[in-house]
Amino acid sequence: MTTAEAIKALSDLPAPNARPLAPVSFKNRRRRYLEALRDENVALNNREWAEKRILLSSTPQVVFLQINAVCNADCVFCSKGYDYPIFDIDEYFGKYGASVLPVLRRARELILTGSGEFLGLPKASRILEHFNHQLPHVDKYVATNASHLKPELLDLIVAGESRYTLQLSLHAADRETFEKMMRYKAYDRVMGNIRSLMEKRDPAKTRVYCMFVMTTLNAESLPDFIRFARDLGADRVIAGYFYIYEAQQKYLSLYFKQDLANRVIAEARKVAADLKMDVSLPHPFGLKEDQAPKASSCIEPWHQIMLNPDGGVLPCDVYGGFRETLNEKTFPEIWNGPSYRSIRRALKAGGGCLATCPRHNPIGVNDWRAHVIHRHKDEKQIVKEYHEALKKP
């Protein structure tokens, strides 16, 4: 089935908020249409990435939808501030649905994340129901602190047709460190919710990752966190360096404690190997060009996109200033517009943001800029904070 045929078959599908009322035969037929649409797009997207095309006929196979919410935690490393827009599903799809839904239907994975705790929204159940019905063929990835993982939400995650990955933002292996990092008294509730998740889930359909943001406050406990995640029954541990949003946060950055970071990462890698635990760890500090695999490019401007509740668009979570918005342009005008073409062209040549990328360039973490987010700041403020932050604490 071609893309055009799949789109035609989908043109009369229920509206975004409709409940599935059609016969099972139609439901199965609809899913096959959607899977064909997805598979064709993903295959094309992979070819265009391999060829480093600048203009793409495919749409991104991974979509981050920033579902911002009020947060019940107050994490020491948080970047959220207090002025971000709260996600409303009716408002968002009423305004941007025509641009976004065709992209979501072609995606391989939908990542539901954002500032705050999405599962604490009053409409959290409706959001999950919406995506389970509209996109049963798309894998879902939910970032949560697990404090709002109530039975009705858990059932929508573990009992639906879609495959889910839950990224549990824990950052600590014990109550004391948990409360120091998260700054709220929810340890018992979170652990109880995680136990319920582990009891109900089918590991083939629902994967569980434990997240650990590395700061000067908790880095020493990373090896214990891997043991803790293994005991919980988690499938993977993801650890990453803390990003600085404001100059006063520099005291949390391991950029100034590089020996500590390297020691902890080496120990964590050994613990994970001994336990046969799958881990994703950051690159150590101090690697030279001849000691690390050469970074050829970054896949993200070809494979993914981030969509904000206010219509804003980003190539990735650590990208700096990017002014594109669905309020001013259509999705194709952004995806193949001057900004995206410029990023892809620079990366294809081995330059651009790759030099300071903490994920795709092993030596990028040696550069201070890889540890700082300067989004929404003018140039003078960036220069000022740069000089302030380099004064070692």
Side-chain angles (χ1 to χ4, degrees):
M1 178 179 295
T2 66
T3 301
E5 290 168 338
I7 293 172
K8 185 176 185 301
L10 287 168
S11 61
D12 296 324
L13 290 177
N17 294 321
R19 301 277 183 152
L21 300 173
V24 172
S25 59
F26 175 76
K27 179 180 177 182
N28 291 340
R29 196 162 65 246
R30 173 179 179 266
R31 174 143 187 166
R32 288 198 297 271
Y33 290 149
L34 291 168
E35 288 173 346
L37 194 68
R38 174 201 65 199
D39 292 346
E40 184 178 353
N41 181 66
V42 169
L44 177 59
N45 186 251
N46 286 334
R47 289 198 300 272
E48 291 181 328
W49 152 248
E51 297 167 3
K52 302 296 188 295
R53 294 282 185 92
I54 305 302
L55 283 171
L56 307 186
S57 298
S58 62
T59 53
Q61 57 180 284
V62 177
V63 178
F64 286 75
L65 184 57
Q66 301 289 87
I67 303 186
N68 293 345
V70 174
C71 194
N72 56 339
D74 186 24
C75 301
V76 294
F77 52 80
C78 187
S79 63
K80 68 178 186 297
Y82 298 96
D83 58 350
Y84 56 89
I86 301 298
F87 182 86
D88 182 278
I89 186 170
D90 302 307
E91 183 179 305
Y92 186 82
F93 282 102
K95 194 168 186 179
Y96 306 115
S99 289
V100 169
L101 278 172
V103 177
L104 296 179
R105 286 172 178 152
R106 293 175 173 85
R108 169 178 57 81
E109 184 175 43
L110 172 63
I111 300 179
L112 304 175
T113 181
S115 296
E117 177 51 36
F118 141 53
L119 295 181
L121 284 172
K123 295 182 181 180
S125 294
R126 278 199 48 217
I127 293 170
L128 293 175
E129 288 171 349
H130 168 79
F131 289 123
N132 283 351
H133 172 55
Q134 287 293 318
L135 308 169
H137 62 302
V138 177
D139 292 347
K140 317 295 191 302
Y141 191 113
V142 175
T144 174
N145 64 25
S147 63
H148 285 281
L149 205 55
K150 297 174 287 192
E152 59 268 29
L153 297 177
L154 188 54
D155 288 344
L156 287 169
I157 290 169
V158 303
E161 296 179 56
S162 300
R163 290 182 299 186
Y164 270 84
T165 297
L166 267 67
Q167 177 185 292
L168 307 180
S169 298
L170 300 176
H171 320 293
D174 61 87
R175 182 191 300 272
E176 181 181 355
T177 310
F178 177 89
E179 292 180 353
K180 182 192 300 182
M181 294 295 294
M182 309 286 278
R183 295 194 294 199
Y184 75 143
K185 303 286 186 180
Y187 184 80
D188 291 331
R189 173 159 41 112
V190 167
M191 292 301 111
N193 289 344
I194 294 173
R195 284 192 293 272
S196 296
L197 164 64
M198 294 305 187
E199 290 168 3
K200 289 187 175 184
R201 73 163 181 150
D202 175 356
K205 285 187 59 182
T206 308
R207 294 181 61 77
V208 175
Y209 295 169
C210 290
M211 182 67 192
F212 189 96
V213 173
M214 297 176 63
T215 73
T216 54
L217 297 179
N218 68 338
E220 293 271 14
S221 64
L222 177 57
D224 284 339
F225 185 78
I226 293 172
R227 298 182 183 98
F228 167 76
R230 192 280 308 268
D231 291 343
L232 284 178
D235 300 292
R236 193 179 205 203
V237 168
I238 301 173
Y241 295 125
F242 157 71
Y243 295 121
I244 300 170
Y245 283 77
E246 304 294 340
Q248 62 267 27
Q249 292 179 310
K250 67 182 180 181
Y251 301 99
L252 297 173
S253 176
L254 287 167
Y255 180 83
F256 297 110
K257 300 283 185 180
Q258 296 185 11
D259 290 343
L260 167 63
N262 288 354
R263 175 173 59 78
V264 166
I265 289 169
E267 184 181 346
R269 199 175 302 282
K270 182 179 185 306
V271 168
D274 291 343
L275 297 177
K276 296 182 172 55
M277 185 72 188
D278 185 23
V279 294
S280 172
L281 300 173
H283 301 296
F285 289 99
L287 291 177
K288 308 297 184 186
E289 287 192 18
D290 59 351
Q291 296 175 311
K294 183 173 174 55
S296 59
S297 189
C298 170
I299 199 171
E300 293 175 17
W302 281 266
H303 269 209
Q304 73 173 41
I305 198 164
M306 300 188 75
L307 305 175
N308 290 332
D310 60 0
V313 170
L314 286 171
C316 81
D317 59 322
V318 296
Y319 199 83
F322 197 76
R323 303 296 181 184
E324 302 292 356
T325 172
L326 292 170
N327 295 309
E328 299 172 0
K329 298 178 182 178
T330 66
F331 186 90
E333 288 172 338
I334 294 174
W335 184 238
N336 278 315
S339 297
Y340 257 101
R341 294 202 309 269
S342 175
I343 294 171
R344 293 181 189 127
R345 192 174 291 112
L347 288 170
K348 183 177 181 178
C353 53
L354 187 64
T356 58
C357 179
R359 285 197 290 268
H360 299 288
N361 182 2
I363 65 172
V365 298
N366 298 330
D367 192 309
W368 166 249
R369 293 170 294 174
H371 300 268
V372 185
I373 303 296
H374 285 308
R375 204 173 297 134
H376 308 309
K377 295 180 181 177
D378 62 36
E379 193 63 33
K380 287 183 179 179
Q381 181 69 11
I382 291 172
V383 172
K384 178 177 180 290
E385 291 193 354
Y386 174 81
H387 289 296
E388 286 178 353
L390 283 183
K391 295 174 183 176
K392 290 196 174 186

